[in-house]
Amino acid sequence: MSRRSANVLEPHIITTAPGGVRSSSEVWRVLVVESNASDAESLTRGLERHGHTVDRVDTGGGALQVYEDVDLVLLDLELPDLDGLEVCREIRLVCDVPVIAVTSRGAEIDRVLGLQAGADDYLVKPYGFRELMARISAVMRRSRPRPLAVKSVSHGPLHVDADAREVSLQGRRIEVTRKEFDLLYLLASHPGTVIPRKRLMQQVWGDSWSRRTVDTHVSSLRSKLGGADWIITVRGVGFRLGHG
């Protein structure tokens, strides 16, 4: 076997699902842009065994025709028609689909040029399949859109508005301090969930807190909301929002 055909090291996969496919909560459609048939076949086989859908092309022109329909591009930089860097630049001009460059060009200047061209990561051949999968997971994690933060929360007559930083109960505004608001908003944003005391301390007070600080603010909020049932203590764990 030539060095060129051994660029993708065969993956060792522990199968954990029926049919020999490793179970995964995330499945992606991956475009493999690879001019070497042996490398492309090995890479495709490994990705499919992990449950992903794979499209394959062996030219830059082919990649530029189909990349908009995939979740991730694995791009060989040594293509027969176009330089992979140019393909990467063209993709990046149009969309933000994640691109990982895979190439035998391992010099520092090559890595710099690849990243400057818009690649999200850069992997030099030969590489281990497990490293590739780890890099794919990291890139996809970074590129995943963050859910929009909830700006206002309502629970029955209780309304917590994050933009105005106001609390109202049955249409009547409740005056709360900054930390009281942060505490109530955190609880209200996770209805039915017990928020551990330690998480409340860290997210609301950061490094300057004490156990008594939390209890004092919970007690004050209960008084202002007119009842202890709005904030329920779960002994030994933390607090959750109640129903008043």
Side-chain angles (χ1 to χ4, degrees):
M1 179 180 296
S2 67
R3 178 180 176 83
R4 174 64 175 161
S5 63
N7 279 324
V8 183
L9 304 184
E10 189 66 21
H12 173 69
I13 300 175
I14 300 175
T15 57
T16 57
V21 177
R22 180 179 175 182
S23 60
S24 173
S25 59
E26 295 179 295
V27 176
W28 304 302
R29 184 172 181 179
V30 183
L31 173 61
V32 172
V33 187
E34 174 59 68
S35 60
N36 181 276
S38 178
D39 286 356
E41 178 61 31
S42 178
L43 183 52
T44 298
R45 186 166 58 248
L47 290 167
E48 289 178 342
R49 290 183 65 184
H50 276 72
H52 304 301
T53 300
V54 180
D55 296 330
R56 283 172 51 181
V57 296
D58 57 8
T59 64
L64 293 176
Q65 292 179 2
V66 298
Y67 70 89
E68 292 182 88
D69 295 326
V70 303
D71 301 307
L72 170 70
V73 179
L74 298 180
L75 177 63
D76 182 11
L77 297 185
E78 298 175 319
L79 300 170
D81 57 341
L82 298 172
D83 186 277
L85 294 177
E86 184 59 32
V87 175
C88 190
R89 293 189 192 98
E90 290 294 325
I91 291 175
R92 196 53 72 229
L93 283 173
V94 177
C95 72
D96 293 326
V97 61
V99 177
I100 298 179
V102 288
T103 178
S104 58
R105 304 175 189 173
E108 180 182 9
I109 185 60
D110 293 316
R111 296 172 186 268
V112 171
L113 291 173
L115 296 172
Q116 288 180 339
D120 296 276
D121 202 350
Y122 193 101
L123 193 58
V124 178
K125 301 177 181 180
Y127 54 84
F129 191 81
R130 283 182 292 183
E131 179 184 3
L132 172 66
M133 292 306 299
R135 288 175 179 268
I136 287 175
S137 295
V139 166
M140 297 305 290
R141 187 166 57 246
R142 292 195 300 268
S143 67
R144 184 181 302 124
R146 295 184 179 182
L148 295 175
V150 177
K151 293 300 183 181
S152 62
V153 184
S154 294
H155 292 281
L158 178 67
H159 182 72
V160 184
D161 188 328
D163 285 330
R165 292 187 66 82
E166 292 181 351
V167 176
S168 61
L169 184 63
Q170 294 179 338
R172 179 176 61 89
R173 183 173 175 179
I174 306 296
E175 296 294 336
V176 295
T177 67
R178 183 166 62 89
K179 293 301 184 183
E180 287 172 351
F181 179 89
D182 292 341
L183 173 59
L184 182 60
Y185 181 70
L186 180 56
L187 293 171
S189 297
H190 300 81
T193 300
V194 178
I195 307 296
R197 180 185 291 270
K198 184 176 181 180
R199 178 180 172 187
L200 288 171
M201 292 174 176
Q202 291 174 336
Q203 290 193 219
V204 177
W205 284 274
D207 294 329
S208 58
W209 50 262
S210 68
R211 185 183 184 89
R212 183 173 179 80
T213 299
V214 180
D215 293 337
T216 299
H217 282 74
V218 167
S219 177
S220 177
L221 277 172
R222 284 170 171 164
S223 177
K224 290 180 178 182
L225 293 173
D229 290 341
W230 275 114
I231 301 178
I232 307 299
T233 300
V234 180
R235 191 175 299 277
V237 183
F239 302 90
R240 66 174 176 84
L241 189 71
H243 297 286

